[in-house]
């Protein structure tokens, strides 16, 4: 099969951004020779020589942790020795035990696995060289995006390959319980964090001191996922701020001169867990966390997963980024060893920085040909894909048209430059045989059949079975979505408002940006820049003409605007359905436990009857995002006294939000809605 990423030909990368296939040399050498070669990394120049036991001792004996231990002992009536013993138990559960021998074992194993799974693993050498230099100069925080279990392994593999200090990695505690693997990962640098810490003061204190001791001493690069969880939709998640706040605090307190943040974008042609992720979104319980189980259960080692691109972003200085955003006097008034609550100013800065990192990850990712194909297939009538099939030449022509649009929008595209377009298309479709099949010059969606089943599927079962395939397709579309979001939101604003006035379009753009800020990544304070970027991109591709006061649609731009509107329509339809559900239900109070299955059941019936054409409303992630959006708009409030996730709905506010979203209520409503924060102010 022709590789869609051969020659690392990328149609939009700058000339100085060279990607190297690191598996090419591995295929010419033995796995054992690779694992046992000399490993001579150059660590942070200011780092003391610490063993893992030295690190743990420094944590337990730190002034900060001793202060907290005495506080807890006084609050609970326990002895200081007992609380310190509890802290030691927590640290033992949490801490890594990095050992070179296990790094070599992992290197040996991963070398074998990666050569089976991937045709190539491309790494941008310029970014890697900048990282190598940065690690010697200041404490470094590695921040990859999180789409697959492989994310957890690939960074250490690359750094070991190029004699760069391997990182210590924040991991979920579930991995620690995986037989054998949990222990190997711990000895390869993983430290484990509980998902639900709640108000456990001692656990927070041990975690904080452990992380900050690693950062302060420059013990090793620290790696964590700012999104918090693995994205089940392959779309960027709104960042979680806890770990970001922890790693930056030593800089805020003046304990280190600077901290270097390195965003890393990992892009996959095909993701190992594609079907498992879709099932999770449909409410199927997640299997016990197990990397070995994943390989064994799905037979992944016998399948082809194309190529992977790992793009190490330009190192970012926390000192430069935070300049002018922090009031340092707040930190000078309290001794460094005492606990401090971050100020609102600091929290805003951390939030801004976390969103900037995720946005940088998006901009550094490479769009595959399959992501473009997925965008187009999802705009094709469902009956066409399941019955008569989509004509091959039609799909090819439209994909090449979309390739040009993506490049006009400035995206990084992994489209081989020296392979005929027809071969690229054939190869990418063949790679995704689990989703589509190519037959007699037509493309069809794969429709899973259970040959062992005797009785026919119920209508609901039929919808859910088809939803697995569609949500897999959706996830690959999502990998390209960040390229189109801003011009797409402007296209929706133009379509709904029927206005050409720039101020009116900006108001509606802000409204949509606020409603969908759990779906897409928007950097706080950049609404005006996002709007201007959208105008600029639509003008660049010939879709609109912009002046000081107006945005005018051009005849040549109707195809682009139509594509962008259809691309985001599933989000509009899904949100509207959930708004309708909340307005029509009898009670004003509901729980999340009720909401998710009720919405799924309603949507399943509507899809089966043909009254709803989007499967994305079945996704639990989108359902939770709607609740989050309505809470932010103050149309839904969480009842704090409730033990469950219980909410109270303001039906008038939800209905008004839906009416504005559909264009039934004029723009003035954005300025007069009392129950929801629908007016978007220029940030």
């Amino acid at each position: 099969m022709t590789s869609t990423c051969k020659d690392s030909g990328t149609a939009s990368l700058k000339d100085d951004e060279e990607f190297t296939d690191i598996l090419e040399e591995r295929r010419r050498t033995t796995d054992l020779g690779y694992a046992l070669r000399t490993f001579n990394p150059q660590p942070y120049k200011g780092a003391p020589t610490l063993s893992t036991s030295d690190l743990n001792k420094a944590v337990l004996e730190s002034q900060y942790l001793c202060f907290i231990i005495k506080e807890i002992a006084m609050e609970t009536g326990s002895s200081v020795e007992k609380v310190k013993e509890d802290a030691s138990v927590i640290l033992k559960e949490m801490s890594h035990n990095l050992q070179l021998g296990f790094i070599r074992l992992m290197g040996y194993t991963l070398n074998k696995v990666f050569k089976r799974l991937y045709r190539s693993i491309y790494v941008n050498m310029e970014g890697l060289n900048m990282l190598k230099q940065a690690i010697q100069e200041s404490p470094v925080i590695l921040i990859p995006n999180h789409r697959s279990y492989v994310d957890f392994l690939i960074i250490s593999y690359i750094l070991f390959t190029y004699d760069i200090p391997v990182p210590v990695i924040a991991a979920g505690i579930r991995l620690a319980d995986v037989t054998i693997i949990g222990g190997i990962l711990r000895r390869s640098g993983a430290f484990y964090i509980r998902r639900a810490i709640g108000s456990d003061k001692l656990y927070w204190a041990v975690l904080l001191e452990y992380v900050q001791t690693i950062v302060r001493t420059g013990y090793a690069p620290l790696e964590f996922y700012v999104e918090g969880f693995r994205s089940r939709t392959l779309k960027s998640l709104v960042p979680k701020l806890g770990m970001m706040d922890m790693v930056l605090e030593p800089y805020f307190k003046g304990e280190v001169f600077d901290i270097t943040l390195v965003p890393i974008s990992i892009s996959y042609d095909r993701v190992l867990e594609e079907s498992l992720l879709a099932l999770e979104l449909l409410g199927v319980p997640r299997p016990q966390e197990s990397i070995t189980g994943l390989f064994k259960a799905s037979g992944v080692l016998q399948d082809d997963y194309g190529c992977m691109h790992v793009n190490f972003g330009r190192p970012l200085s926390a000192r430069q980024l935070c300049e002018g955003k922090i009031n340092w006097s707040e930190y000078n008034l309290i001794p460094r060893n005492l606990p401090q609550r971050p100020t609102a100013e600091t929290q805003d800065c951390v939030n801004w920085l976390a969103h900037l990192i995720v946005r940088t990850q998006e901009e550094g990712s490479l769009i595959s040909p399959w992501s473009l194909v997925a965008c187009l297939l999802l705009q094709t009538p469902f009956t066409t894909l399941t019955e008569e099939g989509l004509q091959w030449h039609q799909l090819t022509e439209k994909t090449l048209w979309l390739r040009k649009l993506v490049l006009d929008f400035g995206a990084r595209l992994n489209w081989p430059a020296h392979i005929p377009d027809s071969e690229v298309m054939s190869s990418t479709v063949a790679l995704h045989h689990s989703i589509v099949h190519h037959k007699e010059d037509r493309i069809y969606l794969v429709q899973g059949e259970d040959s062992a089943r005797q009785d026919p599927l119920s209508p609901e079962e039929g919808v859910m079975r088809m939803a697995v395939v569609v949500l897999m397709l959706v996830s690959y579309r999502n990998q390209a979505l960040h390229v189109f979001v801003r011009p797409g939101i402007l296209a929706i604003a133009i379509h709904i408002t029927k206005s050409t006035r720039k101020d009116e379009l900006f108001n509606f753009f802000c409204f949509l940006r606020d409603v969908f800020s759990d779906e897409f990544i928007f950097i706080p304070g950049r609404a005006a820049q996002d709007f201007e970027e959208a105008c600029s991109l639509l003008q660049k591709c010939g879709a609109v003409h912009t002046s000081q006061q107006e945005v005018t649609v051009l005849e040549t731009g109707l195809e682009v605007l139509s594509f962008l509107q259809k691309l985001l329509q599933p989000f509009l339809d899904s949100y509207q359905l959930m708004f309708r559900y909340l307005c029509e239900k009898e009670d004003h109070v509901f729980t999340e436990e009720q909401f998710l299955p009720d919405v799924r059941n309603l949507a399943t019936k509507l899809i089966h009857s043909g009254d709803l054409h989007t499967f994305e409303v079945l996704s639990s992630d989108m359902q939770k995002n709607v609740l989050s959006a309505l809470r932010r708009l103050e149309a839904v409030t969480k009842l704090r006294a409730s033990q469950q996730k219980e909410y109270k709905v303001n039906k008038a506010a939800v209905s008004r939000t839906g009416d504005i979203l559909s264009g039934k209520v004029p723009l003035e409503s954005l300025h007069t809605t009392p129950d929801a924060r629908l007016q978007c102010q220029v940030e």
Side-chain angles (χ1 to χ4, degrees):
M1 185 185 297
T2 304
S3 169
T4 60
C5 46
K6 195 66 179 170
D7 302 325
S8 66
T10 46
S12 66
L13 293 180
K14 298 174 184 175
D15 292 339
D16 60 349
E17 290 181 317
E18 180 185 350
F19 277 77
T20 297
D21 176 13
I22 66 172
L23 288 186
E24 188 175 345
E25 185 180 344
R26 304 286 78 75
R27 297 188 195 280
R28 295 197 299 262
T29 58
T30 66
D31 300 323
L32 191 60
Y34 164 75
L36 296 179
R37 65 184 184 76
T38 302
F39 179 57
N40 187 30
Q42 298 299 309
Y44 173 46
K45 290 174 183 175
T49 303
L50 288 176
S51 65
T52 52
S53 59
D54 291 337
L55 177 67
N56 291 353
K57 184 180 178 184
V59 171
L60 287 174
E61 295 179 354
S62 68
Q63 288 182 308
Y64 169 75
L65 193 55
C66 288
F67 178 86
I68 296 294
I69 285 171
K70 288 176 184 175
E71 256 195 355
I72 292 172
M74 289 179 62
E75 291 167 3
T76 62
S78 298
S79 67
V80 170
E81 290 72 21
K82 175 65 172 66
V83 180
K84 190 167 184 177
E85 187 180 315
D86 292 342
S88 183
V89 170
I90 291 170
L91 186 59
K92 185 177 179 181
E93 173 195 87
M94 178 188 301
S95 62
H96 73 81
N97 186 17
L98 185 61
Q99 298 173 21
L100 181 57
F102 280 88
I103 292 292
R104 294 189 185 281
L105 174 61
M106 286 293 285
Y108 175 81
T109 306
L110 293 179
N111 216 39
K112 282 187 173 297
V113 170
F114 288 154
K115 286 191 294 185
R116 291 287 296 274
L117 288 175
Y118 299 106
R119 303 170 189 172
S120 300
I121 296 177
Y122 289 109
V123 177
N124 68 319
M125 300 311 296
E126 182 189 13
L128 199 62
N129 289 331
M130 286 192 291
L131 169 63
K132 196 169 190 174
Q133 184 63 36
I135 281 177
Q136 297 175 52
E137 296 171 355
S138 65
V140 165
I141 312 298
L142 304 173
I143 313 178
N145 54 3
H146 198 12
R147 304 292 178 266
S148 169
Y149 285 123
V150 176
D151 302 337
F152 189 81
L153 308 167
I154 189 62
I155 305 301
S156 296
Y157 175 76
I158 293 170
L159 268 52
F160 175 69
T161 301
Y162 286 96
D163 276 354
I164 300 173
V166 293
V168 293
I169 312 166
I173 193 67
R174 285 166 62 107
L175 273 176
D177 298 327
V178 180
T179 308
I180 303 176
I181 293 293
I184 292 175
L185 292 178
R186 190 187 294 274
R187 289 170 176 81
S188 303
F191 65 95
Y192 296 110
I193 303 173
R194 297 174 193 169
R195 289 293 187 199
I197 302 172
S199 57
D200 189 332
K201 185 175 179 179
L202 183 60
Y203 192 92
W204 275 114
V206 173
L207 175 59
L208 180 69
E209 186 59 29
Y210 184 71
V211 167
Q212 293 189 355
T213 301
I214 291 170
V215 175
R216 276 195 304 266
T217 61
Y219 172 85
L222 189 148
E223 178 183 334
F224 76 96
Y225 304 108
V226 71
E227 296 168 286
F229 300 96
R230 186 173 45 127
S231 173
R232 298 181 298 181
T233 61
L234 303 190
K235 182 158 55 71
S236 294
L237 304 178
V238 175
K240 305 289 188 293
L241 304 182
M243 186 64 76
M244 180 68 87
D245 190 51
M246 284 185 197
V247 300
L248 288 174
E249 194 174 84
Y251 167 66
F252 293 152
K253 287 183 173 182
E255 295 173 313
V256 294
F257 180 75
D258 198 1
I259 290 173
T260 300
L261 307 170
V262 181
I264 304 172
S265 308
I266 306 174
S267 310
Y268 298 93
D269 281 354
R270 186 180 171 203
V271 177
L272 267 67
E273 307 95 321
E274 56 184 10
S275 60
L276 293 177
L277 296 176
L279 288 167
E280 281 184 45
L281 291 171
L282 293 169
V284 177
R286 180 166 64 169
Q288 179 65 33
E289 204 90 58
S290 168
I291 295 174
T292 52
L294 172 70
F295 290 159
K296 186 177 177 182
S298 54
V300 294
L301 292 177
Q302 277 68 54
D303 215 337
D304 179 7
Y305 287 84
C307 301
M308 182 198 312
H309 282 77
V310 184
N311 188 8
F312 288 85
R314 186 173 295 278
L316 304 173
S317 161
R319 189 176 190 84
Q320 291 178 8
L321 289 168
C322 297
E323 189 175 356
K325 296 182 181 292
I326 298 292
N327 181 1
W328 300 107
S329 63
E330 299 285 345
Y331 287 94
N332 296 334
L333 297 173
I334 301 174
R336 291 174 181 172
N337 62 300
L338 296 183
Q340 297 183 38
R341 284 188 176 276
T343 63
E345 182 184 62
T346 302
Q347 288 177 317
D348 287 345
C349 179
V350 171
N351 184 45
W352 170 80
L353 194 49
H355 279 79
L356 176 67
I357 292 290
V358 179
R359 186 75 187 104
T360 305
Q361 290 171 348
E362 288 184 334
E363 291 171 346
S365 64
L366 272 77
I367 308 301
S368 71
W370 176 247
S371 290
L372 305 185
V373 171
C375 289
L376 297 168
L377 291 178
L378 286 165
Q379 296 188 19
T380 305
F382 190 66
T383 52
T384 300
L385 293 176
T386 55
E387 295 172 16
E388 63 258 35
L390 176 62
Q391 291 185 355
W392 177 254
H393 74 87
Q394 233 181 317
L395 178 62
T396 301
E397 288 172 9
K398 197 73 175 176
T399 303
L400 296 178
W401 170 85
L402 186 54
R403 179 182 67 176
K404 182 181 182 306
L405 182 64
V406 163
L407 294 176
D408 283 346
F409 282 0
R412 298 166 181 261
L413 181 61
N414 169 31
W415 191 291
H418 308 297
I419 298 175
D421 293 335
S422 59
E423 286 187 33
V424 174
M425 287 293 295
S426 297
S427 176
T428 199
V429 167
L431 181 65
H432 293 276
H433 56 83
S434 56
I435 301 176
V436 295
H437 61 93
H438 185 185
K439 182 181 177 185
E440 295 177 355
D441 244 17
R442 290 179 182 270
I443 291 292
Y444 299 85
L445 272 185
V446 169
Q447 300 181 57
E449 296 178 5
D450 187 352
S451 56
R453 186 177 178 127
Q454 300 296 320
D455 53 319
L457 290 173
S458 68
E460 292 76 16
E461 288 174 325
V463 169
M464 294 302 282
R465 178 169 287 187
M466 205 64 244
V468 174
V469 178
V470 175
L471 289 185
M472 286 164 64
L473 192 60
V474 164
S475 68
Y476 288 105
R477 177 211 64 191
N478 287 346
Q479 291 184 311
L481 213 49
H482 64 275
V483 177
F484 302 113
V485 162
R486 285 152 188 79
I489 287 179
L490 178 54
I492 292 288
I494 292 169
H495 176 70
I496 291 176
T497 64
K498 310 293 190 245
S499 175
T500 60
R501 284 181 50 186
K502 220 171 185 180
D503 58 341
E504 292 183 345
L505 289 173
F506 176 68
N507 274 339
F508 206 88
F509 181 93
C510 286
F511 167 65
L512 292 171
R513 187 180 183 271
D514 196 14
V515 169
F516 292 125
S517 63
D518 292 286
E519 298 291 349
F520 314 117
I521 299 300
F522 300 108
I523 299 173
R526 290 198 181 177
Q529 292 96 317
D530 284 346
F531 181 74
E532 289 304 325
E533 178 188 328
C535 291
S536 173
L537 291 176
L538 288 183
Q539 178 157 299
K540 183 179 178 182
C541 69
V544 301
H545 173 72
T546 62
S547 64
Q548 196 72 27
Q549 284 83 30
E550 289 197 318
V551 178
T552 310
V553 174
L554 302 177
E555 194 73 26
T556 54
L558 295 179
E559 186 177 14
V560 170
L561 293 174
S562 174
F563 165 77
L564 293 172
Q565 290 160 21
K566 289 177 181 176
L567 190 71
L568 297 186
Q569 194 63 44
F571 295 92
L572 294 167
D573 292 345
S574 298
Y575 274 53
Q576 290 285 29
L577 176 72
M578 286 181 255
F579 293 167
R580 172 183 145 192
Y581 163 81
L582 289 172
C583 290
E584 291 179 356
K585 72 187 302 293
E586 292 182 10
D587 298 332
H588 284 75
V589 175
F590 65 95
T591 65
E592 188 176 301
E593 195 175 33
Q594 295 169 324
F595 178 76
L596 300 184
D598 284 358
V599 166
R600 190 173 285 129
N601 290 338
L602 173 63
T604 300
K605 291 172 184 173
L606 292 174
I607 290 170
H608 177 67
S609 67
D611 295 322
L612 181 67
H613 302 287
T614 174
F615 285 80
E616 290 172 63
V617 71
L618 298 171
S619 161
S620 58
D621 274 28
M622 183 173 280
Q623 292 159 5
K624 290 174 183 177
N625 287 344
V626 168
L627 285 182
S628 181
L630 289 173
R631 286 184 67 191
R632 191 174 55 257
L633 296 167
E634 297 175 9
V636 162
T637 52
K638 189 173 183 180
L639 302 180
R640 300 202 176 274
S642 170
Q643 294 298 311
Q644 299 177 310
K645 291 183 179 177
E646 200 168 26
Y647 302 91
K648 184 177 181 181
V649 59
N650 181 333
K651 294 187 180 184
V654 173
S655 177
R656 192 155 40 246
T657 304
D659 286 346
I660 295 171
L661 204 55
S662 62
K664 293 178 184 175
V665 173
L667 279 171
E668 289 71 27
S669 234
L670 289 174
H671 304 283
T672 57
T673 305
D675 301 304
R677 292 189 301 102
L678 298 181
Q679 179 179 1
C680 177
Q681 300 173 356
V682 179
E683 297 168 337

